[in-house]
Amino acid sequence: MMRQQALDILKHEDPFDLLVIGGGATGCGVALDAATRGLRVALVEKNDFAEGTSSRSTKLLHGGVRYLETAVRKLDRVQFNLVRDGLLERDLLLQNAPHLTRRLSLVTPLYRWYEVPYVFAGLKLYDLLSGKRRIGHSRLLSRRQAISRFPGLKAEGLKAGVLYYDGQFHDARMALALAMTARHHGAVVANHVAVSGLVKEAGRVIGAELTDSLTDERWTLSAKGVVNAAGPFVDRIRALDDPAKPGILTISSGVHVVLDKRFAPPETGLLIPETEDGRVLFVLPWEGYALVGTTDESADASEHPQPAEEDIRYLLRHVERYFNLQVQHSDIKAAWAGLRPLVADPKAADTASLARDHVVECSASGLLTIAGGKWTTYRKMAQDTVDQAIRCCRLEPVKRTCQTHRLAIQGSVGFREDGAERLQKRSSLDSDIARHLHHTYGDQVDRLLDFLTADGARRLVTGQPMIEAEVRYAVHHEMAVRASDVLARRLSLLLLDSEMARKAAPRVIALMAEELSWDETRCQAEVAEMNERLDAGV
């Protein structure tokens, strides 16, 4: 399998130019940037690609409306630059990965007349900052138009609305696509491989001690440079370099809940501009459901954070406040928490006021750390990191400049907007399955069709477009080695609908057992792990 091939290379074919620690958006982006410059790159992730922060975002590609407001109100150049960079990167991602991204219209409901010119002016400025990369024109909506765009919106007291546009994307699949694209360009990537120590020579970091998380096998890998892209856990890696060094992160927890699709029309999202504590909330259509989020509370770094009941009630309370529909706890299909790694600022009053900007740090021993940032700007973060690595680690790339501005991400090269209809005609798949496969795999869908035997076209669970062939494909081509790898990230069912995931789990485990030759003990361990995830709220 692909993972075993990667492990064999990591064990026997070092040294590398760069070792990247972390398989989230940032780490995969760094590996891709470095590999496309001709550097020899290894990437290791202690869990699965995007298992933490990078699969638990609000699924938006955006410059940051809230950041723009702060930039104007406080004349904050950091926030302004963050918006500008975000809008540029939004445009690049929409072009470089069209199968995993789309333009999304959003409505901001306004219940006070004085808010109308203020919000409209802000969103018009958002348009202007986009320049030629603008993906739609903001405009005022009458009360009737706002309700027409978002039918569940509470009509009582509604004065007007503002329509604007941002991007939406599949975060877990995007991180995986970045990892696979980096692999295509020569990087060696492996999930479920942890860094248990750093290796130094004459005071310089020259590699790391690695541990296979599945077998506990240990070995040492040599590299000219080591990049710490461990997200919320970067301070733990920095402590391996220098235990006395103070941390650079403040961790924020964001909770999301997933509701039935009746709470969001399929083509329009809702931006709630100011909650009871002055924050921003979104209600978005997502994979046939409604995604509501997010909270913003201080937290500690942990492997699998659980959504707090208080945060869930906070989200439901605001849904009720803005909707004519009644919402109850029983309406929740899934709830999950994600950690955001924010660069610490002792002057910030709370995590919501911290800028989502990033910093690149090179320690005295040469360990490079990339911290902060957000999904939309992963590419720029990677570019800045590799630029610094070339200088800090004295690397000699084939190409010194970044190559990823217009680099097609796996799945996008032959992608066509009408691909779902074409796929349905030539494969006789149901229309919802064809759409799902088209937008999940893009131009790689023909490789998946190789697994489409008579049974392979069977749905994993009634009412969902995911099919059995995807499980086998995930094992053979996407490095899935745990049932949660498939259900939480290759298919994302675990984060969409817990009950559906529970129903699908036995068949997923059975299919993976066939492909990976699991014995009964391993199957039972997978069942126990899945039940633990489901009971804990993933």
Side-chain angles (χ1 to χ4, degrees):
M1 303 299 178
M2 290 172 61
R3 180 176 181 272
Q4 188 56 54
Q5 295 169 352
L7 294 180
D8 291 342
I9 296 173
L10 293 177
K11 292 172 186 175
H12 304 298
E13 297 185 21
D14 61 348
F16 288 83
D17 291 317
L18 276 184
L19 167 63
V20 182
I21 304 171
T26 306
C28 292
V30 170
L32 176 57
D33 187 298
T36 54
R37 299 197 205 195
L39 293 171
R40 191 157 188 263
V41 184
L43 178 146
V44 295
E45 161 56 46
K46 65 180 175 180
N47 295 309
D48 186 27
F49 303 114
E51 181 158 336
T53 297
S54 295
S55 63
R56 295 160 185 260
S57 75
T58 311
K59 325 297 183 189
L60 285 175
L61 296 173
H62 63 106
V65 172
R66 186 183 71 194
Y67 315 144
L68 178 59
E69 181 183 13
T70 303
V72 173
R73 187 157 37 86
K74 297 184 178 181
L75 299 178
D76 188 325
R77 182 178 294 274
V78 171
Q79 300 272 10
F80 183 84
N81 289 340
L82 192 63
V83 176
R84 181 195 59 194
D85 291 344
L87 290 170
L88 170 61
E89 297 301 325
R90 179 188 72 180
D91 177 65
L92 294 178
L93 257 175
L94 287 168
Q95 293 184 56
N96 293 341
H99 60 306
L100 296 174
T101 63
R102 68 166 181 164
R103 186 183 80 153
L104 180 69
S105 61
L106 294 106
V107 171
T108 300
L110 303 172
Y111 290 85
R112 301 179 184 88
W113 281 118
Y114 71 82
E115 294 176 329
V116 175
Y118 179 77
V119 173
F120 180 60
L123 290 173
K124 272 299 180 185
L125 177 58
Y126 195 61
D127 287 352
L128 289 172
L129 287 175
S130 301
K132 294 180 180 179
R133 297 178 292 274
R134 184 170 52 227
I135 58 177
H137 292 275
S138 298
R139 62 186 179 90
L140 281 173
L141 300 176
S142 68
R143 179 176 178 274
R144 178 177 296 180
Q145 288 172 326
I147 294 172
S148 175
R149 285 274 185 170
F150 211 97
L153 201 57
K154 183 171 288 185
E156 183 181 353
L158 182 65
K159 308 303 183 188
V162 177
L163 179 74
Y164 79 103
Y165 295 87
D166 250 327
Q168 190 176 43
F169 77 124
H170 195 310
D171 52 5
R173 294 293 311 182
M174 185 71 76
L176 179 67
L178 292 174
M180 295 300 100
T181 308
R183 182 180 182 275
H184 174 74
H185 286 276
V188 181
V189 301
N191 51 349
H192 300 287
V193 175
V195 171
S196 45
L198 297 176
V199 178
K200 293 184 179 181
E201 184 178 276
R204 296 283 298 180
V205 174
I206 60 164
E209 298 170 357
L210 305 182
T211 301
D212 187 328
S213 302
L214 303 180
T215 65
D216 289 330
E217 181 182 0
R218 298 190 174 199
W219 71 97
T220 298
L221 182 142
S222 300
K224 297 176 184 177
V226 176
V227 174
N228 171 15
F233 303 99
V234 297
D235 282 334
R236 294 187 186 180
I237 301 299
R238 292 171 73 251
L240 296 176
D241 179 37
D242 182 358
K245 205 162 189 179
I248 61 173
L249 287 187
T250 295
I251 305 298
S252 166
S253 172
V255 170
H256 294 79
V257 298
V258 181
L259 303 175
D260 185 84
K261 63 182 179 181
R262 66 192 175 96
F263 288 95
E267 302 299 329
T268 305
L270 186 73
L271 165 66
I272 298 173
E274 188 169 344
T275 62
E276 61 196 29
D277 52 358
R279 302 184 185 185
V280 169
L281 279 185
F282 292 94
V283 182
L284 307 171
W286 178 243
E287 300 289 304
Y289 292 83
L291 177 65
V292 183
T294 177
T295 61
D296 201 335
E297 302 292 341
S298 296
D300 297 320
S302 59
E303 290 291 345
H304 297 109
Q306 297 181 20
E309 187 60 35
E310 180 182 350
D311 290 333
I312 292 174
R313 289 197 300 268
Y314 171 92
L315 294 175
L316 295 184
R317 189 163 63 247
H318 284 88
V319 170
E320 279 202 328
R321 186 172 298 175
Y322 283 86
F323 280 75
N324 280 325
L325 303 172
Q326 293 294 313
V327 58
Q328 300 175 344
H329 204 286
S330 58
D331 290 316
I332 296 175
K333 301 296 184 180
W336 32 270
L339 300 179
R340 303 187 195 93
L342 308 173
V343 180
D345 179 358
K347 298 179 182 179
D350 54 34
T351 56
S353 61
L354 289 174
R356 270 53 173 176
D357 207 355
H358 64 275
V359 297
V360 182
E361 172 195 76
C362 185
S363 74
S365 63
L367 175 68
L368 223 71
T369 295
I370 169 67
K374 61 177 182 174
W375 234 120
T376 307
T377 56
Y378 88 89
R379 195 208 61 81
K380 185 177 188 303
M381 294 165 63
Q383 176 181 335
D384 293 347
T385 303
V386 176
D387 286 345
Q388 180 76 346
I390 291 170
R391 295 189 295 268
C392 183
C393 305
R394 299 188 180 93
L395 304 178
E396 297 180 1
V398 176
K399 300 174 181 177
R400 295 196 68 86
T401 57
C402 178
Q403 304 294 303
T404 61
H405 289 81
R406 300 293 179 185
L407 181 71
I409 294 168
Q410 180 177 285
S412 68
V413 174
F415 180 78
R416 295 176 51 141
E417 287 297 329
D418 64 348
E421 291 78 10
R422 295 162 63 89
L423 176 61
Q424 183 184 2
K425 288 178 181 178
R426 63 189 176 93
S427 62
S428 300
L429 292 167
D430 292 343
S431 59
D432 64 327
I433 294 175
R435 284 193 302 272
H436 160 69
L437 297 181
H438 176 58
H439 286 285
T440 300
Y441 302 96
D443 67 16
Q444 300 295 298
V445 74
D446 283 343
R447 299 175 72 191
L448 183 138
L449 295 182
D450 292 340
F451 295 87
L452 203 64
T453 62
D455 290 340
R458 181 187 299 159
R459 295 174 190 263
L460 282 169
V461 61
T462 302
Q464 294 290 336
M466 299 85 168
I467 59 175
E468 292 187 357
E470 293 181 83
V471 181
R472 300 188 192 277
Y473 179 85
V475 170
H476 285 273
H477 293 293
E478 297 181 338
M479 304 179 79
V481 292
R482 302 291 300 270
S484 58
D485 295 348
V486 173
L487 281 168
R489 288 165 293 281
R490 305 306 182 275
L491 302 180
S492 295
L493 188 57
L494 190 60
L495 299 181
L496 280 173
D497 193 319
S498 298
E499 189 57 35
M500 289 288 190
R502 195 182 297 274
K503 291 178 180 178
R507 187 57 182 154
V508 169
I509 292 171
L511 290 167
M512 295 185 75
E514 291 178 13
E515 300 300 323
L516 295 168
S517 301
W518 289 347
D519 58 19
E520 185 62 26
T521 300
R522 176 61 189 275
C523 288
Q524 290 301 318
E526 290 293 323
V527 170
E529 196 249 354
M530 282 302 305
N531 287 336
E532 181 181 352
R533 292 285 186 93
L534 287 161
D535 293 341
V538 298

